[in-house]
């Protein structure tokens, strides 16, 4: 861990240097070199917005980096900002330009890269010169480990499936097409987490299908009533939107990853976003996902007061076995380790999202047969073996089930690594990212954040492996499953006109599922039909706000 004294001395030295520079040129950087010259600085300033993964991991990576390059004299200065509003702060700072912003590398969350890049000309003083540094060079290069040598594979070939789509620029500037302006710090898999001890207590197996899941929830509700054990815990106070992580899975399972991504991107079949973008809300997968959620959205299925729980209060119920399931993210262990390390690392595990049962219906097989096929897929059985064991299921059917099982939701696309294009330590910042993405960087992150960098790594050999981490790795099938995101930067309309997942006042995101629980009339069909009508009627306004009309 970096020493506080070391930081203090470094900051004092920097302050003295800054005073001298201010006297000479009127700013913290040479404002005449905003295009990126002078990238040879040995001092790297990182602005980090702390969330559930904490900061120990970044301090450990920085300390290792300094040790590896001690003969070069590289110095890492960490500026940590906790709390909410990090995206807004990062956006504002990036727009300040070289005269007022000395940050070289950002680890941020939820930044609208469209908004930042649209400010480029004002800051960079040149047409088509982006305010954010393109990262294509390191994306198409190997990571660099502790031995200071390039690894055998380029980063692009190790990135988990689905992540690249959240990196590529999706804006309107043709000159920037194909550019990558941000990468991800964590895989951040999200979805269902289960207290396995609760299932063992009531003799219940992990469900494979949504019909099985609904039956398990009802069983726990009945059997657990006398013990004060509930099927669910959830955070109605500050994180009701966590429910979406499960809904995303079920939408993508039914309609496919491409259709889900088109919904996120507001990209209709015609390709005409301006006139037809609203049509993505016609997708039947939206309705089927809500139908799968609907039987679960009962207040009686969660502890009294869950509607007002914070996310840590809700997670407490999962830790102590007073709830069986919670929809949350893989930051859970690190966030709860101080009080519940044993429970979080062994009893609580991530589980793959049950497959929507309607897929079995459409394939002409029973839910029991669908469940059997899923079990065989999880066991690594070949298509031919599955078809032999499940009568009436052909190869296309097996592939549909296999694809549905190989999907997981993530917020990794929103956890952004960005480099200001006007920085004077861009080369050093890129080298730091290359180290983070190396086998050694992966190991340090896993040991200190109990989480994963979104690239395949062979060196996940921590001293104390946990059942929790093993379950997370299995959920994304050792890097072979496909991640899906509601990443606003994949759509100009979502990023600049604030088009949410659901927008109608009666059930707008992030409170959509809270509204389902609180109102009997807020059914799956009602949400689907009302939202489609609302988005269609207001689409011209969204297009105008996005500056596309």
């Amino acid at each position: 861990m970096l020493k506080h004294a070391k930081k203090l001395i470094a900051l004092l030295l920097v302050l003295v240097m800054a005073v001298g520079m201010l006297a000479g040129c009127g700013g913290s950087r040479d404002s005449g070199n905003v295009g990126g010259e002078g990238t040879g600085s040995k001092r790297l300033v990182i602005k980090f917005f702390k969330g559930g993964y904490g900061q120990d991991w970044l301090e450990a990576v920085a300390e290792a980096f300094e040790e590896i390059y001690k003969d070069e004299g590289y110095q890492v200065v960490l500026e940590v900002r906790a709390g909410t509003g990090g995206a807004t702060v990062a956006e504002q700072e990036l727009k300040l330009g070289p005269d007022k912003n000395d940050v070289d590398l950002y680890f941020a969350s939820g930044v609208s890269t469209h908004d930042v890049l649209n400010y480029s000309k004002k800051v960079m003083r040149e047409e088509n010169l982006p305010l954010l540094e393109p990262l294509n060079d390191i994306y198409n290069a190997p990571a660099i480990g502790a031995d200071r040598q390039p690894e055998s594979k380029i980063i692009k070939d190790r990135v988990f499936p689905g992540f690249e789509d959240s990196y590529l620029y999706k804006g309107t500037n043709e000159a920037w097409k194909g550019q990558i302006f941000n990468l991800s710090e964590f895989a951040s898999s999200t979805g269902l987490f289960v207290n396995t001890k609760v299932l063992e207590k009531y003799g219940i197996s992990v469900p494979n299908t949504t019909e099985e899941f609904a039956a398990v929830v009802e069983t726990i509700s009945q059997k657990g009533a006398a013990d004060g054990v509930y099927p669910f815990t959830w955070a109605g106070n500050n994180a009701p939107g966590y429910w979406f992580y499960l809904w995303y899975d079920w939408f993508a399972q039914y309609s496919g990853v491409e259709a889900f991504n088109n919904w996120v991107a507001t990209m209709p079949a015609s390709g005409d976003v301006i006139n037809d973008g609203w049509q993505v809300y016609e997708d039947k997968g939206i309705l089927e996902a809500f139908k799968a959620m609907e039987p679960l959205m009962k207040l009686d299925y969660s502890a009294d007061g869950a509607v007002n729980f914070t996310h840590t209060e809700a997670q407490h119920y999962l830790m102590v076995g007073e709830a069986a399931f919670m929809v949350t993210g893989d930051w859970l262990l690190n966030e709860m380790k101080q009080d519940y390390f044993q429970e979080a690392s062994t009893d609580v595990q991530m589980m793959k999202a049950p497959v929507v049962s309607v897929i079995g219906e459409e394939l002409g097989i029973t839910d029991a047969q669908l469940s059997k096929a899923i079990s065989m897929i999880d066991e690594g059985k070949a298509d031919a073996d599955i078809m032999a064991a499940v009568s009436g299921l052909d190869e296309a059917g097996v592939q549909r089930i296999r694809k549905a099982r190989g999907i997981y939701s993530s917020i990794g696309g929103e956890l952004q690594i960005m480099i200001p294009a006007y920085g004077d330590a861009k080369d050093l910042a890129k080298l730091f990212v290359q180290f983070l993405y190396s086998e050694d960087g992966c190991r340090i992150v896993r040991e200190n954040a109990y989480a994963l960098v979104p690239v395949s790594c062979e060196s996940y050999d921590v001293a104390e492996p946990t059942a929790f981490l093993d379950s997370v790795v299995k959920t994304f099938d050792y890097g072979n499953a496909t991640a899906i995101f509601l990443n606003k930067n994949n759509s100009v309309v979502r990023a600049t006109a604030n088009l949410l997942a659901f927008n109608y006042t009666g059930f707008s995101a992030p409170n959509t599922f809270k509204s389902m629980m609180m109102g009997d009339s807020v059914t799956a069909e009602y949400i689907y039909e009302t939202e489609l009508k609302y988005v269609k009627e207001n689409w011209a306004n969204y297009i105008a706000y996005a500056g596309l009309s």
Side-chain angles (χ1 to χ4, degrees):
M1 185 177 291
L2 297 177
K3 305 299 184 184
H4 293 295
K6 182 178 180 181
K7 291 183 184 176
L8 181 58
I9 292 171
L11 288 171
L12 288 172
L13 288 172
V14 171
L15 181 60
V16 172
M17 294 170 63
V19 170
M21 287 190 288
L22 285 169
C25 66
S28 61
R29 299 186 194 273
D30 180 357
S31 57
N33 285 334
V34 294
E37 296 179 12
T39 59
S41 174
K42 293 188 176 184
R43 175 178 174 270
L44 179 65
V45 179
I46 299 177
K47 189 68 168 286
F48 168 63
F49 295 86
K50 184 172 72 171
Y53 297 108
Q55 67 189 66
D56 291 351
W57 68 273
L58 186 55
E59 291 180 343
V61 173
E63 183 177 18
F65 185 80
E66 287 186 337
E67 178 62 26
I68 293 164
Y69 293 98
K70 61 183 178 182
D71 57 330
E72 301 287 346
Y74 294 158
Q75 176 198 11
V76 179
V77 178
L78 302 182
E79 297 179 0
V80 179
R81 187 184 190 281
T84 58
T88 301
V89 172
E91 289 174 18
Q92 291 173 343
E93 289 183 354
L94 283 162
K95 293 176 184 178
L96 290 175
D99 293 340
K100 297 180 180 179
N101 183 24
D102 70 343
V103 177
D104 301 299
L105 177 61
Y106 279 92
F107 287 84
S109 174
V111 169
S112 172
T113 54
H114 291 288
D115 189 38
V116 172
L117 289 166
N118 286 342
Y119 216 73
S120 293
K121 186 175 180 180
K122 184 172 183 178
V123 175
M124 306 303 289
R125 306 170 191 170
E126 187 176 325
E127 197 73 38
N128 296 327
L129 189 62
L131 192 156
L132 293 173
E133 176 73 6
L135 303 178
N136 299 63
D137 51 354
I138 60 172
Y139 189 67
N140 290 289
I144 297 177
D147 60 1
R148 299 170 61 161
Q149 297 300 311
E151 295 183 341
S152 59
K153 295 182 180 179
I154 64 173
I155 291 172
K156 173 184 171 68
D157 292 343
R158 296 169 52 224
V159 166
F160 289 165
F163 272 79
E164 184 174 290
D165 189 62
S166 70
Y167 298 156
L168 292 170
Y169 172 72
K170 301 289 192 354
T172 58
N173 190 322
E174 291 297 325
W176 298 339
K177 294 294 185 182
Q179 296 291 338
I180 291 173
F181 294 109
N182 67 274
L183 296 173
S184 297
E185 58 196 89
F186 291 109
S188 289
S189 48
T190 57
L192 269 174
F193 289 75
V194 57
N195 188 312
T196 59
K197 295 296 184 184
V198 174
L199 299 193
E200 291 173 7
K201 180 176 182 177
Y202 299 115
I204 297 172
S205 300
V206 174
N208 283 339
T209 71
T210 53
E211 283 189 13
E212 289 181 349
F213 188 37
V216 165
V217 167
E218 179 60 25
T219 298
I220 294 172
S221 179
Q222 294 178 5
K223 292 186 176 181
D227 304 323
V229 176
Y230 295 86
F232 291 113
T233 181
W234 61 289
N237 180 302
N238 68 340
Y242 280 10
W243 285 109
F244 271 106
Y245 303 149
L246 184 57
W247 182 87
Y248 295 153
D249 284 334
W250 288 342
F251 176 6
Q253 283 181 6
Y254 181 83
S255 294
V257 171
E258 183 178 1
F260 178 87
N261 287 340
N262 286 338
W263 172 76
V264 173
T266 60
M267 180 58 66
S270 68
D272 185 354
V273 174
I274 292 175
N275 294 301
D276 300 335
W278 61 270
Q279 293 176 2
V280 298
Y281 279 83
E282 293 180 321
D283 195 298
K284 188 182 177 184
I286 296 172
L287 176 60
E288 294 300 340
F290 273 117
K291 285 182 178 180
M293 294 292 295
E294 190 168 14
L296 311 176
M297 298 293 101
K298 299 178 182 178
L299 287 176
D300 290 344
Y301 281 162
S302 56
D304 293 340
V307 70
N308 292 314
F309 285 169
T310 65
H311 67 291
T312 52
E313 289 171 337
Q315 288 166 181
H316 157 82
Y317 279 78
L318 186 67
M319 295 296 112
V320 299
E322 293 180 13
F325 302 102
M326 181 176 179
V327 181
T328 182
D330 66 13
W331 54 82
L332 177 66
L333 171 53
N334 192 75
E335 201 164 53
M336 304 300 286
K337 66 183 179 182
Q338 183 172 347
D339 297 319
Y340 302 104
F341 183 80
Q342 181 61 35
E343 295 88 345
S345 60
T346 58
D347 300 348
V348 175
Q349 299 178 23
M350 191 173 190
M351 57 178 279
K352 292 185 178 182
V355 174
V356 282
S357 293
V358 67
I359 289 178
E361 295 174 16
E362 293 184 357
L363 294 176
I365 59 176
T366 67
D367 200 65
Q369 287 178 307
L370 176 62
S371 181
K372 184 180 181 71
I374 293 166
S375 292
M376 295 184 72
I377 288 171
D378 289 349
E379 293 166 2
K381 301 296 185 183
D383 288 6
D385 295 330
I386 298 172
M387 288 187 289
V390 180
S391 61
L393 191 60
D394 60 15
E395 186 173 359
V398 175
Q399 285 301 308
R400 185 178 180 187
I401 299 169
R402 193 181 291 280
K403 288 179 180 178
R405 191 60 164 170
I407 291 171
Y408 69 98
S409 63
S410 166
I411 63 166
E414 298 178 30
L415 301 181
Q416 300 148 308
I417 300 173
M418 298 173 293
I419 299 174
Y422 50 74
D424 56 12
K426 293 189 294 185
D427 291 344
L428 187 56
K430 291 180 178 181
L431 182 61
F432 188 89
V433 176
Q434 285 178 284
F435 175 63
L436 174 67
Y437 271 48
S438 72
E439 294 280 347
D440 297 298
C442 289
R443 176 182 51 77
I444 293 171
V445 171
R446 183 168 182 174
E447 289 176 348
N448 290 275
Y450 304 101
L452 307 170
V453 180
V455 290
S456 58
C457 286
E458 298 176 359
S459 62
Y460 285 150
D461 52 349
V462 295
E464 296 178 357
T466 67
F468 178 91
L469 274 175
D470 287 343
S471 71
V472 171
V473 172
K474 289 176 181 176
T475 297
F476 55 73
D477 191 21
Y478 304 93
N480 295 312
T482 300
I484 56 171
F485 318 85
L486 179 59
N487 184 353
K488 64 183 180 183
N489 289 312
N490 283 5
S491 164
V492 175
V493 182
R494 294 196 189 278
T496 59
N498 198 34
L499 178 71
L500 306 174
F502 292 91
N503 302 270
Y504 181 71
T505 305
F507 48 75
S508 61
N511 293 307
T512 306
F513 297 101
K514 188 175 182 179
S515 299
M516 287 190 81
M517 289 192 190
M518 303 294 287
D520 293 337
S521 63
V522 186
T523 63
E525 286 81 2
Y526 174 77
I527 293 176
Y528 175 73
E529 294 169 2
T530 306
E531 179 68 12
L532 174 58
K533 181 175 183 289
Y534 179 85
V535 173
K536 181 179 180 180
E537 291 177 349
N538 289 277
W539 191 250
N541 292 331
Y542 283 113
I543 291 299
Y545 293 148
L548 298 177
S549 58

